[in-house]
């Protein structure tokens, strides 16, 4: 008996040693942080799995420990970045006396009032900072001329002045110009009418430090959901953390909550989450949430620049979420319902957003809908509508594929063929216009005005979706994963970063995007990329003890991004997808579940996933080994193919043994985070194109009609043009990394354009708005002037661009849902959509230009008709209104 007990004790000791060796084994090592089987280490910070249901972390944001007294700030009229040009700011070193400091500056004049400050010196807590802004020059211009001319030449009319605000990058300030109005203390006021506006802020306020808790322990019953066990306590604990946060992300009405700080259901957020894992785990909640985002039988575009749809069109990711839900449940009633909704939505998009020249679809970057974060500042909402983005187009491609698959299941063969063909046209357009063979990945988007160019930045989510949804072929998939830049803390939303823009989409990593990158990496067979992606998701979740919305790419810190939420739905959904869709490789089809496991060698071991529900069956799965090749697959103890038919019912046991075959041919493009230089600002005078010097630029490339024509280190270029010519300038730094292109400027544009005052053809509006160009303007709405016709005589046969000068003061430039939409017809034939986005709440004197519709016109008389059609409904449904000043017809060729 003594010998037997000694033997058992020795066995236990050996088992404990093996277990300790496994949990302390390094999984991922980098210069920034390391991942072990049971912990994360990043410098002085450490997070540890105490068990599979408990975590501890000593992480505290380094950003919250720093609060230097030197502040960078500027002012905003009407929630716009319109005080000074980019990179021009006010600077002050706050030097309080008796806990208070007063700063006086003049609007539009950069000021520097700083002193040297030693590293580590912080501003005293709870310092009162009184900011006084001299607005007398602005008010004088209002009184004398009726308007003030902003730095960029735009006129701000007195009637459109709504308020002045302070913006900045030091807490509690924010660079989020569009949302400054949500914080009353950001608005400066002039109660005594002396022209000096002021406000007082509490700087370095005690109690506002961004801190995290030190421990997490499972407090919810998650036994109803799939249970995961492995040899790695860290991944097990993070899996349970994600399950618990999922239960917290369900509202009392059985819909998803987007995040702790984000109430409500958002189309893209729930859709990306459902695709990642919520279709498996919460099918009823997923269905209720998807239906919440339907109106008039169409998918709702609930956010986006200039009044949402159709400036933003990525609502169509709803289609793939609906398809994923059908594959998970087999609910044929849902299939028919979703099919009708997707069909209506795609058909509207075909008329409002499809570009039949490029084969692509117009619209803002999917999920990257904070325009300054990913677009040049000169781009107006109509310009953003005109852009053709990688991720958004992959989403539209996928929506057409889903529609074709659904039509096929519903025995609508002709419909299935049509939308499959349309999907192919989008795919071909992406590969023709956005693929960059020299870089080995896709460009960000096409942008410009009458001649568009490709932004060579990468767009992480779009790159991932191009692989996952098969826009890229097998060779391209491999290249995309190997070549797309990866920073120390993960794949940033875009790369390189944009200068002068604070982290949110710019200079940020989003865990849900990283999850899609992990899925794409597994599909492309890149083990190194899969492991890096898993590490980039596990590191922040373990250190922050929650599934955060985002973090700063350059530091890996959660503090510093403009907005950040705990318990973020798509982040936790992505964490769970690592187990379901990567490790176990679960793929749903219309009639079966297929296994494509992908286990990096560093994660070799035994793992199980029990209580996994698929339609009418419950699966208990055990898996051993590593790699992506299945050596053996058993269903209830018998050899079988690695798939489960949708007809299977009851509880079943699956055992998978992997072949332990290494994937040696894998690499990633690990790079240091990098910010490009600022873009030039060009102007034309007497056939000379000139621009200001850009800091860090060593050369400039001049583009004419979208093509490079000259490279120089000078700051001007002599033009010789006999036809319409649109010019842009791109600045390049010493590494030959380019800036965004400057705003297009036209040489001799007046020689090729004709302006027709619409008030000459339709009764004038009676409102007294300012800044129109002729004798008046015309109101269009769903009840007034639903159709306007303008006869024109074309003197020369050729290609023409047709635009409208308009005002839309029905909402802010960044959100809401009152973008006006119309259809343009020439001689009764539809030639395109005219998009008239919001330009500022009640800013009816803020006139701008619509998108350009290109059309071939023969010499002679033509009738231009602008009409409201049933498919021109916006997301508001009631207000679809704008003021029209003129139609401009420009001969391009």
């Amino acid at each position: 008996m003594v010998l037997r007990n000694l033997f058992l004790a020795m066995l236990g000791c050996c088992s404990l040693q093996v277990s300790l060796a496994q949990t302390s084994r390094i999984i991922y090592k980098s210069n920034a942080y390391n991942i072990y089987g049971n912990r994360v280490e990043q410098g002085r910070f450490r997070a540890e799995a105490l068990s599979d249901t408990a975590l501890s972390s000593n992480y505290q944001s380094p950003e919250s420990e720093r609060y230097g007294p030197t502040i960078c700030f500027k002012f905003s009229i009407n929630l716009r970045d319109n005080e000074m040009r980019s990179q021009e700011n006010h600077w002050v070193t706050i030097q309080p006396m008796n806990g208070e400091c007063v700063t006086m500056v003049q609007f539009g004049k950069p000021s520097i009032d700083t002193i040297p400050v030693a590293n580590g010196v912080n501003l005293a807590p709870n310092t009162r900072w009184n900011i006084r802004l001299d607005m007398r020059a602005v008010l004088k211009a209002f009184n004398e001329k009726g308007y003030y001319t902003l730095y960029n030449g735009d006129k701000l009319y007195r009637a459109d002045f709504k308020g002045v605000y302070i913006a900045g990058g030091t807490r509690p300030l924010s660079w989020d110009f569009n949302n400054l109005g949500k914080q009353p203390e950001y608005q400066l006021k002039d109660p005594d009418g002396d022209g000096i506006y002021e406000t007082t802020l509490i700087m370095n306020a005690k109690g506002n430090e961004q801190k995290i808790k030190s421990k997490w322990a499972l407090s919810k019953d998650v036994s109803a959901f799939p249970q995961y066990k492995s040899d790695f306590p860290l991944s097990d604990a993070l899996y349970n953390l994600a399950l618990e946060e999922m239960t917290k992300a369900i509202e009392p009405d059985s819909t998803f909550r987007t995040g702790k700080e984000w109430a409500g259901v958002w189309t893209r957020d729930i859709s990306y989450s459902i695709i990642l894992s919520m279709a498996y785990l919460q099918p009823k909640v997923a269905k209720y949430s998807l239906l919440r985002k339907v109106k008039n039988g169409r998918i709702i575009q609930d956010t986006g620049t200039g009044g949402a749809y159709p400036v933003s069109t990525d609502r169509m990711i709803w289609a793939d979420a609906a398809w994923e839900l059908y594959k998970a449940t087999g609910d044929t009633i849902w299939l028919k319902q979703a099919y009708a909704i997707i069909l209506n939505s795609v058909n509207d998009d075909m008329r409002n957003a499809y570009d039949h020249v490029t084969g692509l679809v117009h619209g803002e970057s999917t999920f990257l809908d904070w325009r300054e974060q990913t677009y040049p500042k000169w781009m107006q909402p109509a310009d953003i509508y005109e852009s053709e983005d990688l991720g958004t187009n992959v989403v539209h491609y996928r929506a057409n594929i889903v529609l074709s698959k659904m039509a096929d299941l519903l025995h609508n063969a002709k419909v299935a063929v049509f939308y499959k063909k349309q999907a192919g046209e989008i795919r071909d357009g992406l590969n023709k216009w956005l693929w960059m063979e020299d870089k080995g990945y896709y460009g960000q988007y096409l942008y410009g005005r009458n001649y568009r160019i490709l932004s060579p930045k990468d767009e992480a989510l779009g790159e991932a979706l191009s692989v996952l949804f098969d826009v890229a072929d097998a060779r391209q998939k491999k290249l995309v994963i190997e070549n797309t830049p990866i920073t120390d803390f993960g794949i940033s939303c875009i790369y390189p970063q944009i200068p002068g823009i604070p982290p949110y989409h710019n200079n940020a990593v989003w865990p849900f995007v990283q999850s899609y990158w992990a899925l794409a990496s597994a599909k492309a067979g890149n083990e190194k990329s899969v492991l890096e992606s898993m590490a980039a998701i596990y590191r922040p979740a373990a250190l922050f003890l929650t599934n955060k919305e985002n973090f700063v790419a350059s530091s890996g810190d959660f503090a510093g991004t403009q907005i950040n939420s705990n318990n973020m739905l798509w982040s936790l959904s992505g964490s769970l997808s690592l187990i379901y869709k990567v490790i176990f490789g679960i793929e749903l089809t219309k009639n079966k579940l297929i296994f494509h496991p992908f286990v990096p060698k560093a994660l070799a071991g035994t793992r199980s996933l029990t209580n996994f529900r698929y339609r009418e069956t419950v699966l208990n799965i055990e898996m051993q080994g590593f790699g992506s090749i299945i050596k053996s697959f058993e269903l209830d103890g018998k050899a079988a193919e690695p798939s489960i038919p949708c007809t299977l019912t009851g509880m079943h046991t699956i055992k998978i043994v992997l072949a332990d075959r290494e994937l040696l041919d894998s690499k990633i493009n690990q790079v240091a985070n990098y910010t490009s230089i600022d873009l030039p600002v060009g102007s034309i005078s007497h056939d000379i194109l000139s621009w200001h010097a850009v800091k860090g630029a060593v050369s400039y490339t001049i583009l004419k009609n979208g093509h490079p024509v000259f490279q120089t280190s000078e700051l001007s270029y002599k033009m010789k043009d006999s036809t319409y010519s649109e010019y842009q300038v791109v600045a390049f730094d010493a590494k030959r990394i380019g800036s965004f292109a400057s705003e297009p400027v036209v040489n001799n544009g007046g020689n090729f354009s004709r302006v027709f005052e619409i008030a000459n053809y339709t009764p004038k509006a009676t409102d007294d708005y300012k800044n129109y160009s002729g004798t008046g303007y015309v109101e269009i709405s769903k009840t007034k002037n639903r159709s306007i016709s303008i006869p024109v005589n074309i003197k020369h046969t050729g290609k023409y661009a047709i635009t409208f000068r308009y005002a839309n003061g029905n909402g802010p430039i960044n959100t809401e849902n009152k973008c006006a939409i119309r259809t343009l017809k020439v001689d009764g034939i539809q030639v395109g959509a005219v998009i008239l986005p919001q330009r500022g709440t009640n800013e009816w004197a803020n006139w701008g230009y619509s998108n350009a519709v290109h059309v071939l016109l023969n010499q002679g008389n033509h009738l231009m008709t602008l009409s409201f059609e049933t498919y021109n409904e916006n997301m508001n449904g009631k207000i679809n209104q704008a003021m029209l000043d003129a139609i401009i017809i420009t001969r391009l060729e």
Side-chain angles (χ1 to χ4, degrees):
M1 178 65 72
V2 172
L3 288 175
R4 179 175 179 273
N5 289 340
L6 179 62
F7 177 70
L8 290 174
M10 291 174 63
L11 281 178
C13 182
C14 291
S15 176
L16 178 62
Q17 289 176 344
V18 171
S19 176
L20 288 173
Q22 185 82 323
T23 57
S24 62
R25 190 175 78 200
I26 193 162
I27 304 301
Y28 175 82
K29 183 177 178 64
S30 76
N31 294 329
Y33 64 94
N34 297 327
I35 305 281
Y36 298 83
N38 66 339
R39 66 189 187 279
V40 176
E41 292 182 354
Q42 180 183 318
R44 60 190 172 96
F45 301 121
R46 176 185 172 112
E48 185 173 4
L50 306 176
S51 69
D52 59 1
T53 59
L55 290 158
S56 67
S57 173
N58 69 348
Y59 188 86
Q60 293 300 328
S61 168
E63 183 70 20
S64 67
E65 298 175 356
R66 295 189 290 264
Y67 203 110
T70 299
I71 309 295
C72 174
F73 62 102
K74 67 195 321 179
F75 298 95
S76 162
I77 293 178
N78 294 355
L79 309 179
R80 307 283 183 85
D81 183 2
N82 56 9
E83 184 194 8
M84 299 176 286
R85 70 178 72 248
S86 178
Q87 307 298 312
E88 288 185 344
N89 300 294
H90 303 287
W91 289 87
V92 65
T93 301
I94 298 178
Q95 303 175 69
M97 295 183 63
N98 300 320
E100 187 168 2
C101 177
V102 177
T103 298
M104 178 79 167
V105 296
Q106 183 178 349
F107 185 87
K109 303 290 185 183
S111 61
I112 300 176
D113 183 14
T114 60
I115 61 171
V117 177
N119 288 335
V121 173
N122 287 339
L123 181 68
N126 295 325
T127 295
R128 291 176 58 84
W129 183 33
N130 179 249
I131 306 101
R132 309 190 76 211
L133 175 63
D134 185 348
M135 289 281 287
R136 286 175 293 187
V138 177
L139 300 177
K140 181 180 179 182
F142 283 164
N143 291 330
E144 294 180 354
K145 298 185 292 184
Y147 63 86
Y148 173 77
T149 304
L150 297 163
Y151 79 91
N152 59 1
D154 288 350
K155 294 178 180 178
L156 174 72
Y157 279 78
R158 178 167 51 192
D160 283 345
F161 176 66
K162 310 303 178 188
V164 61
Y165 304 81
I166 185 170
T170 301
R171 301 188 311 272
L173 295 175
S174 168
W175 290 116
D176 181 5
F177 287 90
N178 293 320
N179 290 305
L180 294 176
K182 294 181 179 179
Q183 299 295 329
E185 64 270 26
Y186 293 167
Q187 184 170 8
L188 293 86
K189 296 185 178 180
D190 181 17
D192 57 8
D194 64 354
I196 307 298
Y197 285 66
E198 60 183 292
T199 188
T200 298
L201 300 173
I202 306 301
M203 308 300 287
N204 198 14
K206 276 191 172 182
N208 286 347
E209 301 89 349
Q210 300 187 62
K211 295 183 177 180
I212 64 168
K213 56 189 178 182
S214 61
K215 289 187 178 180
W216 167 80
L218 184 67
S219 60
K220 299 279 188 179
D221 181 6
V222 295
S223 60
F225 304 105
Q227 302 296 294
Y228 177 65
K229 299 283 186 182
S230 74
D231 298 332
F232 304 95
L234 181 67
S235 65
D236 297 2
L238 292 174
Y239 177 86
N240 286 319
L241 169 65
L243 279 185
E244 178 176 87
E245 291 199 324
M246 174 194 70
T247 66
K248 295 178 179 179
I250 299 173
E251 300 280 27
D253 65 355
S254 295
T255 59
F256 286 121
R257 182 183 180 91
T258 299
K260 184 178 179 181
E261 309 300 327
W262 291 100
V265 181
W266 297 76
T267 302
R268 69 170 67 98
D269 296 62
I270 62 160
S271 297
Y272 280 118
S273 302
I274 289 165
I275 296 164
L276 285 167
S277 58
M278 291 300 109
Y280 309 147
L281 298 175
Q282 297 283 357
K284 289 185 178 180
V285 178
K287 181 179 177 180
Y288 296 153
S289 298
L290 287 171
L291 288 175
R292 183 66 63 85
K293 306 315 297 182
V294 176
K295 181 180 179 181
N296 297 327
R298 287 156 174 81
I299 305 163
I300 296 172
Q301 181 75 42
D302 52 17
T303 184
T305 293
Y309 183 79
V311 178
S312 283
T313 60
D314 70 336
R315 62 180 181 151
M316 295 312 304
I317 193 62
W318 189 101
D320 196 57
W323 179 237
E324 191 76 6
L325 182 59
Y326 168 72
K327 291 185 294 181
T329 63
D331 184 345
T332 55
I333 295 175
W334 169 248
L335 174 69
K336 293 175 183 177
Q337 187 177 17
Y339 169 76
I341 294 165
I342 298 166
L343 182 65
N344 289 338
S345 303
V346 169
N347 286 344
D348 283 353
D349 287 348
M350 287 168 57
R351 295 173 174 90
N352 294 325
Y354 278 43
D355 180 345
H356 297 291
V357 175
T358 62
L360 298 173
V361 185
H362 296 296
E364 194 163 28
S365 304
T366 181
F367 117 87
L368 304 173
D369 63 344
W370 185 343
R371 65 192 187 107
E372 296 91 343
Q373 289 279 329
T374 43
Y375 287 93
K377 285 188 176 181
W378 59 261
M379 288 183 71
Q380 297 294 305
D383 297 319
I384 292 176
Y385 163 80
E386 285 259 42
S387 68
E388 296 176 343
D389 170 72
L390 171 62
T392 296
N393 271 272
V394 178
V395 165
H396 283 280
Y397 164 80
R398 182 61 178 172
N400 278 272
I401 288 292
V402 165
L403 191 53
S404 177
K405 290 177 179 290
M406 287 182 166
D408 187 57
L409 279 175
L410 295 171
H411 309 295
N412 295 326
K414 289 184 179 180
V415 174
V417 170
F418 176 85
Y419 291 100
K420 184 176 181 180
K421 179 177 181 293
Q422 186 159 268
E425 291 171 357
I426 299 173
R427 180 197 60 226
D428 293 345
L430 282 163
N431 285 309
K432 178 179 180 179
W433 298 103
L434 270 69
W435 175 255
M436 301 183 296
E437 186 65 30
D438 60 328
K439 293 183 179 292
Y441 52 85
Y442 292 91
Q444 185 182 15
Y445 47 64
L446 298 177
Y447 72 115
R449 293 250 163 89
N450 284 310
Y451 297 93
R452 293 195 289 271
I453 61 174
L454 176 63
S455 168
K457 295 180 186 290
D458 82 79
E459 181 191 88
L461 182 57
E463 309 288 351
L465 296 180
S466 73
V467 173
L468 278 176
F469 293 158
D470 299 315
V471 165
D473 62 26
R475 181 187 74 90
Q476 289 173 311
K477 289 174 184 174
K478 184 174 183 294
L479 290 173
V480 167
I481 301 302
E482 289 180 346
N483 292 301
T484 301
I486 308 294
T487 65
D488 283 347
F489 292 101
I491 187 165
S492 57
C493 293
I494 60 170
Y495 188 93
Q497 316 306 331
I498 303 172
I501 301 297
Y504 186 61
H505 295 139
N506 187 58
N507 190 22
V509 177
W510 287 58
F512 99 90
V513 175
Q514 190 78 56
S515 298
Y516 275 99
W517 187 251
L519 302 185
S521 300
K523 185 165 186 173
N526 191 313
E527 180 181 17
K528 191 170 185 179
S529 185
V530 168
L531 191 61
E532 185 278 334
S533 291
M534 295 182 73
I537 294 164
Y538 283 168
R539 179 202 69 87
L543 288 174
F544 308 155
L545 297 179
T546 184
N547 289 280
K548 283 279 190 183
E549 181 177 0
N550 50 50
F551 54 86
V552 180
S554 55
S555 66
D557 191 13
F558 65 83
T561 63
Q562 293 296 284
I563 307 169
N564 208 340
S565 177
N566 294 349
N567 211 129
M568 200 68 182
L569 178 66
W570 51 15
S571 298
L572 67 91
S573 299
S575 181
L576 294 167
S577 76
L578 297 180
I579 303 304
Y580 306 142
K581 291 197 166 190
V582 177
I583 295 296
F584 286 92
I586 292 172
E587 177 193 357
L588 301 181
T589 71
K590 62 184 180 182
N591 56 12
K592 60 183 174 181
L593 180 156
I594 305 173
F595 290 91
H596 304 285
F598 197 105
V599 181
K601 186 178 180 181
L603 295 174
T606 300
R607 48 184 42 86
S608 65
L609 183 66
T610 58
N611 196 33
F612 186 88
R613 297 179 181 275
Y614 169 59
R615 298 198 182 183
E616 300 301 321
T617 188
V618 177
L619 304 176
N620 296 314
I621 310 161
E622 180 184 322
M623 187 165 67
Q624 298 175 1
F626 69 89
S628 61
I629 297 175
I630 295 175
K631 180 179 180 181
S632 65
F633 184 94
E634 293 181 358
L635 176 63
D636 297 329
K638 296 180 181 180
E641 292 297 314
S643 63
I644 302 298
C646 65
T647 54
L648 194 67
T649 61
M651 185 173 291
H652 299 273
T653 300
I654 293 171
K655 184 173 183 180
I656 303 171
V657 178
L658 300 178
D660 292 350
R661 190 174 300 176
E662 291 189 58
L663 293 168
L664 300 176
D665 184 27
S666 69
K667 60 181 180 179
I668 60 175
N669 183 20
Q670 194 93 42
V671 297
N673 198 29
Y674 194 81
T675 300
S676 62
I677 56 178
D678 205 1
L679 79 171
V681 177
S683 62
I684 290 177
S685 178
H686 303 294
D687 289 331
I688 300 292
L689 171 67
S690 60
W691 56 93
H692 295 288
V694 173
K695 184 178 180 180
V698 298
S699 67
Y700 303 90
T701 295
I702 291 89
L703 307 178
K704 176 181 176 180
N705 294 345
H707 300 287
V709 293
F710 195 70
Q711 183 174 320
T712 182
S713 58
E714 304 296 325
L715 300 178
S716 63
Y717 172 72
K718 175 69 174 177
M719 301 171 294
K720 295 180 180 180
D721 298 305
S722 59
T723 59
Y724 177 90
S725 300
E726 208 169 74
Y727 285 91
Q728 294 173 276
V729 184
V730 178
F732 286 88
D733 63 17
K735 294 186 177 182
R736 289 297 300 164
I737 294 176
S739 68
F740 278 130
S742 63
E743 181 173 9
V745 290
V746 178
N747 191 31
N748 296 326
N751 295 336
F752 304 97
S753 295
R754 296 172 66 197
V755 178
F756 298 83
E757 299 295 337
I758 295 178
N760 292 337
Y761 304 92
T762 302
K764 301 174 187 177
T766 57
D767 307 278
D768 188 24
Y769 300 139
K770 306 298 184 183
N771 202 24
Y772 51 88
S773 63
T775 59
Y777 52 88
V778 172
E779 178 183 353
I780 59 172
S781 69
K782 293 180 70 174
T783 57
K784 293 183 180 179
N785 298 314
R786 286 175 63 100
S787 181
I788 293 176
S789 293
I790 303 158
V792 300
N793 179 268
I794 299 299
K795 297 179 180 180
H796 304 281
T797 296
K799 181 181 178 181
Y800 289 80
I802 303 171
T803 57
F804 290 81
R805 190 170 189 262
Y806 80 99
N808 183 345
N810 284 309
I813 200 169
N814 64 316
T815 185
E816 294 193 10
N817 58 10
K818 304 181 193 75
C819 176
I821 312 168
R822 294 297 182 272
T823 293
L824 179 64
K825 299 175 184 176
V826 176
D827 302 327
I829 298 174
Q830 180 178 338
V831 294
V834 173
I835 311 304
L836 310 164
Q838 299 164 187
R839 295 184 57 81
T841 303
N842 293 323
E843 293 186 32
W844 291 103
N846 180 357
W847 298 84
Y849 294 92
S850 72
N851 62 302
V853 177
H854 289 188
V855 60
L856 296 175
L857 295 175
N858 292 322
Q859 181 182 7
N861 295 323
H862 297 276
L863 187 65
M864 305 284 173
T865 302
L866 192 69
S867 60
F868 177 80
E869 306 293 340
T870 56
Y871 46 79
N872 292 146
E873 288 283 5
N874 61 18
M875 295 295 118
N876 183 271
K878 293 181 180 179
I879 299 174
N880 197 321
Q881 176 200 35
M883 304 297 160
L884 295 183
D885 182 14
I887 179 173
I888 301 95
I889 301 178
T890 302
R891 185 184 176 194
L892 302 178
E893 298 174 5

